Amino acid sequence: LSDIFYVSKEIETAVAPVGIEVAMQYNDDFGERLESFVNIIQTPDGGTHVAGFRSALTRAINDYGKKAGAIKEGDQSLIGDDFREGLTAVIYVKMAADKLQFESQTKTKLNNAEIQPAVAGVVKEALDQYFEENPRDGRAILEKVFLASKARLAARAAKDAVIRKGALEGSALPGK
């Protein structure tokens, strides 16, 4: 992306009002760098807010690819890792402290079920609008996703070839 994608929105959930902020940008790296926070508490193990972000990202890029004609029904399946390769993102959720549910006392993973669809809805809607307004960035992201998928499939084929070759060499019977 030439620009940083950013969305900030406050929505009402069944439990409490929730503030959602997401900033993301693709780069030339091969890994994913994702930081997540809830009320200034870092959540290194992620949680429902990260799951909502990832599902929205995957759906938005898939939908844009189909709309642009780059992804056709029956094409090689893309996986979530393909969409996140080279992604740097920060996810921040703010909500009433008495409504927070963490998986453990260490507060490393958010466990509020209502946060996942809230984050997914906000991010999906904003990404759809972003791709509509910035088709050049949308195409660049699709190219990156297809390249990641191609590299993943080539790596799997190479690994399978090495395993097959090793299995054939090891099948000789020992001499007496």
Side-chain angles (χ1 to χ4, degrees):
L1 291 176
S2 58
D3 296 325
I4 294 173
F5 167 82
Y6 175 77
V7 62
S8 176
K9 190 170 185 179
E10 186 159 324
I11 62 168
E12 194 67 43
T13 66
V15 177
V18 176
I20 299 167
E21 287 184 69
V22 173
M24 66 174 238
Q25 184 175 33
Y26 278 91
N27 55 49
D28 294 333
D29 268 350
F30 297 107
E32 171 191 25
R33 172 115 170 116
L34 188 137
E35 300 289 333
S36 61
F37 300 87
V38 176
N39 291 5
I40 71 164
I41 299 168
Q42 187 170 12
T43 52
D45 294 341
T48 54
H49 55 320
V50 173
F53 167 75
R54 287 180 172 161
S55 70
L57 178 71
T58 300
R59 281 198 342 259
I61 295 173
N62 257 328
D63 290 352
Y64 178 72
K66 287 175 183 170
K67 185 177 175 186
I71 299 174
K72 295 169 184 54
E73 293 301 323
D75 274 359
Q76 280 276 349
S77 62
L78 300 169
I79 63 170
D81 288 345
D82 298 335
F83 295 101
R84 295 189 302 268
E85 186 172 296
L87 177 70
T88 299
V90 178
I91 304 163
Y92 177 74
V93 172
K94 182 174 174 111
M95 63 185 292
D98 62 328
K99 304 293 184 193
L100 289 175
Q101 298 171 4
F102 289 98
E103 194 170 271
S104 66
Q105 290 290 6
T106 57
K107 298 182 177 180
T108 59
K109 188 171 184 178
L110 183 66
N111 214 17
N112 288 65
E114 70 278 1
I115 299 298
Q116 183 171 347
V119 171
V122 167
V123 172
K124 171 80 165 75
E125 179 184 318
L127 276 173
D128 287 346
Q129 181 179 345
Y130 182 83
F131 290 146
E132 194 72 33
E133 294 170 359
N134 302 283
R136 188 172 52 93
D137 284 346
R139 283 191 300 276
I141 290 171
L142 283 173
E143 287 173 16
K144 184 145 184 72
V145 167
F146 288 133
L147 183 62
S149 173
K150 192 174 180 180
R152 175 180 50 84
L153 294 172
R156 181 188 298 149
K159 180 181 175 187
D160 290 347
V162 168
I163 290 171
R164 272 195 309 276
K165 184 179 179 202
L168 291 175
E169 288 175 351
S171 65
L173 296 173
K176 284 199 168 190

